[in-house]
Amino acid sequence: MTQSYDELKPSPRVLLGPGPSDASPRVLKAMTTPMLGYLDGEFIRIMDGTVGLLRQVFGTANRLTLPVSGTGTAGMEAALCNVVEPGDAVVVGINGYFGGRIADIVQRCGGVVTAVEAPWGSAIRVEDVAAAVKSANPKLVAIIHAETSTGVLQPLDDISQVVRESGALFLTDCVTSLGGQPVDLDRRGIDIAYSGTQKCLGGPPGLAPISFSDRAVEAIHNRADKVQSFYLDMNLLEAYWSGETRTYHHTVSMSLVYALHESLRVVLEEGLDARYARHERNAKALVAGASAIGLKPIVGEGFRAPMLTTIDIPDGIDDVEIRNRLIDDFGIEIGGGLGIFKGKAWRIGLMGESSTQRNVLLVLSALEKLLADAGHKLEAGVGVRAASEVFSQA
């Protein structure tokens, strides 16, 4: 019996989870642009243009800036495996799931981790980083800017000053923040940063923008041994992405580069300041509406990432049932909790194209109905009204 395969027709979704986010029709259209060879002169010009756009969004003049072929985790691994050698001391801030992943990769590179921990939902304290740096004398300090598992936006300026005074390299994970909040690599003295294309940049998953300062590049060039990963070796990728004579390394996905190029154009056409303000306004309205219907934000005011809000699930409410009904009844995806928040919290992402007033009011209205159906006491329409009041004041 011959098996037949139907044309792909995935159901429409409003993506309000921790990523991916919705992509602009312009970005999806860009992916249909015809293929070029990986050393075609026209494609090299597109590569250079994409890098130029990336530098603007990263806030850097770093020569070694490029999109790694792979998701945000590939960016994380590329950032670490290029600078961490066996025996290197590395201070890692851990206040959620992805800080723990950084520590894991550092150890796989042979580095010696000194963990600076904070409770999930809290920011890393600068005085704790300073104490760890003084004790460990690290080569590298790694901090998550926006922790995707908790929705904490980590203040970076004071930590950056501590790191710079120590002489260590400063690495920040910007997977969830790039394009949604300022990262400002050069102003903050950040030596290494990486991100993903599928969140606030509003593109498809599959590339990891990354940038290295001249200090970080020098550390890579002065390694005692080769980078353990051929695929992620910046010495080789540098020759392909920015060498005077481009040298083949691997076949990149032209379609994803096209999409990133267009998504960065969309970001910069809106304007970075306007984009950041939009994310902040929509997050403020979401928190107001969620609080009104009894969904308390886990992260304290002043440390909330505007692109990802983590809220407590009320007692007696089934996490999976509500999320499944959101998809089945409304076509809305939100994220469940990770780690200690599994089954206890929801993560609502308002990233890039998904960060709109319409989506805020849509998810609040849907949650109101489903929570009421599940026996949660609330006044009909209270969440939408609270959010609408925020929008009316903007």
Side-chain angles (χ1 to χ4, degrees), residues 85-98:
E85 300 181 74
D88 283 343
V90 181
V91 170
V92 181
I94 303 176
N95 58 341
Y97 181 87
F98 291 98

Side-chain angles (χ1 to χ4, degrees), residues 53-357:
L53 294 167
L54 263 181
R55 290 193 183 106
Q56 294 183 59
V57 179
F58 265 129
T60 188
N62 289 342
R63 185 181 60 83
L64 188 53
T65 300
L66 58 94
V68 170
S69 295
T71 60
T73 299
M76 179 187 290
E77 192 144 18
L80 294 166
C81 76
N82 277 275
V83 297
V84 178
E85 300 181 74
D88 283 343
V90 181
V91 170
V92 181
I94 303 176
N95 58 341
Y97 181 87
F98 291 98
R101 181 174 289 187
I102 287 178
D104 185 353
I105 294 175
V106 168
Q107 290 169 336
R108 290 168 185 257
C109 295
V112 179
V113 172
T114 297
V116 178
E117 299 189 68
W120 283 41
S122 300
I124 302 291
R125 301 195 315 162
V126 63
E127 53 265 42
D128 293 340
V129 175
V133 166
K134 183 177 180 180
S135 172
N137 188 26
K139 179 180 184 180
L140 178 73
V141 176
I143 299 289
I144 303 283
H145 188 203
E147 174 56 73
T148 314
S149 62
T150 65
V152 169
L153 186 69
Q154 175 68 46
L156 294 175
D157 291 349
D158 290 343
I159 291 177
S160 176
Q161 182 176 347
V162 167
V163 177
R164 296 291 286 185
E165 289 174 354
S166 76
L169 295 170
F170 187 30
L171 178 151
T172 58
D173 175 308
C174 301
V175 168
T176 299
S177 59
L178 186 66
Q181 281 289 277
V183 295
D184 292 341
L185 304 191
D186 291 355
R187 181 184 68 78
R188 284 178 163 147
I190 296 169
D191 293 293
I192 308 164
Y194 58 87
S195 187
T197 48
Q198 77 280 14
K199 299 199 180 192
C200 291
L201 293 181
L207 293 177
I210 196 166
S211 187
F212 294 84
S213 71
D214 289 345
R215 293 177 68 230
V217 171
E218 183 179 4
I220 296 170
H221 290 172
N222 291 336
R223 289 177 60 98
D225 298 305
K226 287 184 176 181
V227 176
Q228 66 188 51
S229 169
F230 177 91
Y231 191 67
L232 300 175
D233 187 342
M234 284 296 149
N235 293 295
L236 304 176
L237 288 168
E238 180 181 23
Y240 177 53
W241 277 92
S242 59
E244 289 186 13
T245 302
R246 301 305 173 97
T247 304
Y248 164 75
H249 178 257
H250 71 282
T251 304
V252 299
S253 169
M254 288 82 204
S255 296
L256 292 178
V257 173
Y258 297 156
L260 175 59
H261 187 278
E262 188 62 18
S263 70
L264 293 168
R265 279 175 19 93
V266 170
V267 169
L268 293 172
E269 283 176 15
E270 179 178 5
L272 291 175
D273 290 343
R275 194 174 184 88
Y276 303 151
R278 171 166 62 86
H279 281 80
E280 291 168 4
R281 180 175 61 253
N282 291 331
K284 183 178 179 182
L286 175 65
V287 169
S291 299
I293 58 179
L295 304 175
K296 298 178 181 178
I298 286 175
V299 179
E301 190 171 358
F303 297 98
R304 296 172 189 156
M307 63 290 297
L308 185 71
T309 300
T310 307
I311 52 179
D312 272 322
I313 299 173
D315 291 340
I317 298 299
D318 187 288
D319 164 34
V320 175
E321 180 182 351
I322 295 295
R323 286 192 289 117
N324 284 343
R325 283 199 61 192
L326 275 172
I327 289 178
D328 293 341
D329 297 356
F330 299 96
I332 300 171
E333 178 192 83
I334 65 171
L338 281 178
I340 65 171
F341 292 150
K342 185 176 182 180
K344 299 179 181 178
W346 289 318
R347 293 178 295 157
I348 301 179
L350 295 171
M351 305 180 190
E353 290 292 310
S354 295
S355 182
T356 66
Q357 177 176 330

